[in-house]
């Protein structure tokens, strides 16, 4: 004799059938938008990186010539090293400071919610606006030395670091606060009972349990550091610049994204293929670094 299924089982089966029936309705628009907005432009850009073109409909196949030009472009090589140093420095400072602020604001201090709001607010301001605001601030501070952030490479570098930290620390702080609040209280209590001091508890209990948040924040700050464009454009515009013996120029505060932009929209329209090759190399670099970082930090995550 067959047993009748319960009402919950029947409802669950009906729900699964309904999802299977209507799943394409929700999936197809998302797939179409992703294909139109990312896949097709990426494939077209990849193709154009092997051509010399002025418009997407007027092109001449040149093979890997554009990639060879990119590797022999001293400004691109310089921007690569400059961006790498910038990304590492900003990665360390943003995450250390954001974690420190988040840790302080989870210690039941007065006005913690107000401080969280204040620290997060700079993230709501656009990068172009921030760049112009901080350029006026820095030029005002440097006026006593009769110099400008546009004429000093060192000030330009640290100006970008300060701007990025001011904008990103509050956002990363929110992610770290969520991770700190998810640390099991029984683990902290057990550490205190075992006689662990504050530093031992932090490094042996808290940080291992916050590794998922560290993974996210490290990924975001690393990729944001390499992709930085609008703040770089507004704050320094790549200035100052130096002239090489062969007559070419190198902008000493120009990062990779701005270098690609200047190459594409420069006076020489024949360099657009080279700019597109730089963009492809840029994509491969950021994607590879992001995947390596995710793999490295996820291996350190602990299962609660």
């Amino acid at each position: 004799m067959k047993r009748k299924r319960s009402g919950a089982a029947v409802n669950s089966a009906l729900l699964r059938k309904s999802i299977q029936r209507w799943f394409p309705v929700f999936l197809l628009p998302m797939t179409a938008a992703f294909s139109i907005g990312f896949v097709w432009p990426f494939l077209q850009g990849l193709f154009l990186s092997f051509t010399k073109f002025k418009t997407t409909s007027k092109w001449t196949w040149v093979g890997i010539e554009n990639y060879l030009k990119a590797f022999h472009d001293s400004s691109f090589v310089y921007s690569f090293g400059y961006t790498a140093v910038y990304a590492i420095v900003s990665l360390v400072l943003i995450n250390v400071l954001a974690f420190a602020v988040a840790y302080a604001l989870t210690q039941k201090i007065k006005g913690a919610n107000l401080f969280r709001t204040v620290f997060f607010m700079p993230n709501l301001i656009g990068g172009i606006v921030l760049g112009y605001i901080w350029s006026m601030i820095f030029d005002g501070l440097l006026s006593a030395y009769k110099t400008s952030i546009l004429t000093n490479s060192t000030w330009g570098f640290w100006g970008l670091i300060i701007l990025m930290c001011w904008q990103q620390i509050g956002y990363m702080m929110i992610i770290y606060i969520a991770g700190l609040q998810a640390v099991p209280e029984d683990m902290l209590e057990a550490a205190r009972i075992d006689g662990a001091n504050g530093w031992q508890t932090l490094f042996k209990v808290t940080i291992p349990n916050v590794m998922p948040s560290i993974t996210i924040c490290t990924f975001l700050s690393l990729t944001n550091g390499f992709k930085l464009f609008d703040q770089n454009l507004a704050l320094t515009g790549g200035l100052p610049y130096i002239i090489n013996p062969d007559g070419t120029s190198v902008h000493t505060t120009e990062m990779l994204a701005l270098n690609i932009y200047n190459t594409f929209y420069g006076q020489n329209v024949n360099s657009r293929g080279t700019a597109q090759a730089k963009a492809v190399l840029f994509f491969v670099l950021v994607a590879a670094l992001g995947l390596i970082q995710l793999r490295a930090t996820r291996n350190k995550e602990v299962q609660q």
Side-chain angles (χ1 to χ4, degrees):
M1 183 175 179
K2 295 182 179 180
R3 300 177 61 183
K4 294 183 178 180
R5 291 189 294 176
S6 65
V10 173
N11 290 335
S12 178
L14 292 175
L15 179 61
R16 284 196 298 271
K17 290 182 179 180
S18 178
I19 292 174
Q20 292 173 356
R21 179 182 300 176
W22 295 103
F23 180 73
V25 176
F26 297 99
L27 179 64
L28 288 176
M30 182 184 67
T31 305
F34 180 75
S35 300
I36 295 172
F38 176 78
V39 176
W40 170 246
F42 175 76
L43 294 176
Q44 187 179 39
L46 181 62
F47 170 76
L48 291 174
S49 69
F50 294 98
T51 67
K52 180 183 292 185
F53 69 96
K54 295 182 180 179
T55 65
T56 56
S57 60
K58 297 179 180 179
W59 52 268
T60 303
W61 183 265
V62 295
I64 63 172
E65 179 182 332
N66 290 326
Y67 289 91
L68 295 177
K69 288 182 179 179
F71 283 118
H72 288 88
D73 185 349
S74 59
S75 66
F76 181 68
V77 175
Y78 175 87
S79 295
F80 176 86
Y82 184 84
T83 305
V85 174
Y86 174 86
I88 293 171
V89 174
S90 63
L91 168 70
V92 174
L93 289 178
I94 288 173
N95 284 279
V96 170
L97 294 174
F99 183 85
V101 173
Y103 188 78
L105 294 180
T106 53
Q107 301 303 307
K108 299 180 181 180
I109 64 174
K110 292 183 179 180
N113 291 332
L114 175 62
F115 285 120
R116 293 179 188 181
T117 303
V118 171
F119 278 112
F120 182 77
M121 285 180 63
N123 188 70
L124 303 177
I125 306 175
I128 290 289
V129 177
L130 278 179
Y132 286 124
I133 291 174
W134 277 96
S135 67
M136 292 185 290
I137 293 174
F138 286 127
D139 282 341
L141 294 174
L142 295 174
S143 61
Y145 301 96
K146 296 181 180 181
T147 186
S148 169
I149 195 171
L150 300 179
T151 61
N152 189 298
S153 302
T154 302
W155 280 112
F157 177 84
W158 289 108
L160 288 167
I161 291 291
I162 293 171
L163 188 157
M164 196 66 170
C165 288
W166 193 75
Q167 183 183 28
Q168 293 292 323
I169 283 175
Y171 183 80
M172 304 303 171
M173 173 201 69
I174 297 298
I175 299 175
Y176 280 127
I177 287 176
L180 289 167
Q181 291 176 337
V183 177
E185 186 62 32
D186 56 348
M187 287 189 179
L188 298 175
E189 183 66 26
R192 286 191 289 268
I193 293 174
D194 290 340
N197 58 35
W199 290 107
Q200 290 173 329
T201 303
L202 175 64
F203 286 101
K204 298 296 184 180
V205 179
T206 303
I207 290 180
N209 282 279
V210 183
M211 277 307 299
S213 296
I214 294 176
T215 297
I216 296 171
C217 291
T218 305
F219 176 80
L220 291 175
S221 53
L222 178 66
T223 54
N224 288 340
F226 271 94
K227 296 187 301 180
L228 190 71
F229 171 74
D230 43 1
Q231 295 92 332
N232 188 200
L233 176 65
L235 186 64
T236 67
L239 298 176
Y241 64 90
I242 56 177
I243 304 296
N244 293 323
D246 59 359
T248 60
S249 62
V250 172
H251 291 72
T252 57
T253 62
E254 184 181 68
M255 303 183 71
L256 278 174
L258 184 58
N259 179 267
I260 295 169
Y261 174 86
N262 288 334
T263 303
F264 192 92
Y265 292 103
Q267 295 181 351
N268 184 9
V269 295
N270 292 322
S271 63
R272 291 183 175 178
T274 305
Q276 195 61 50
K278 291 181 179 181
V280 173
L281 294 172
F282 180 58
F283 169 80
V284 173
L285 170 68
V286 175
L289 288 175
L291 292 174
I292 292 171
Q293 177 269 317
L294 286 174
R295 183 179 180 85
T297 52
R298 280 179 174 170
N299 289 336
K300 298 181 182 294
E301 295 180 8
V302 296
Q303 299 295 327
Q304 296 183 6

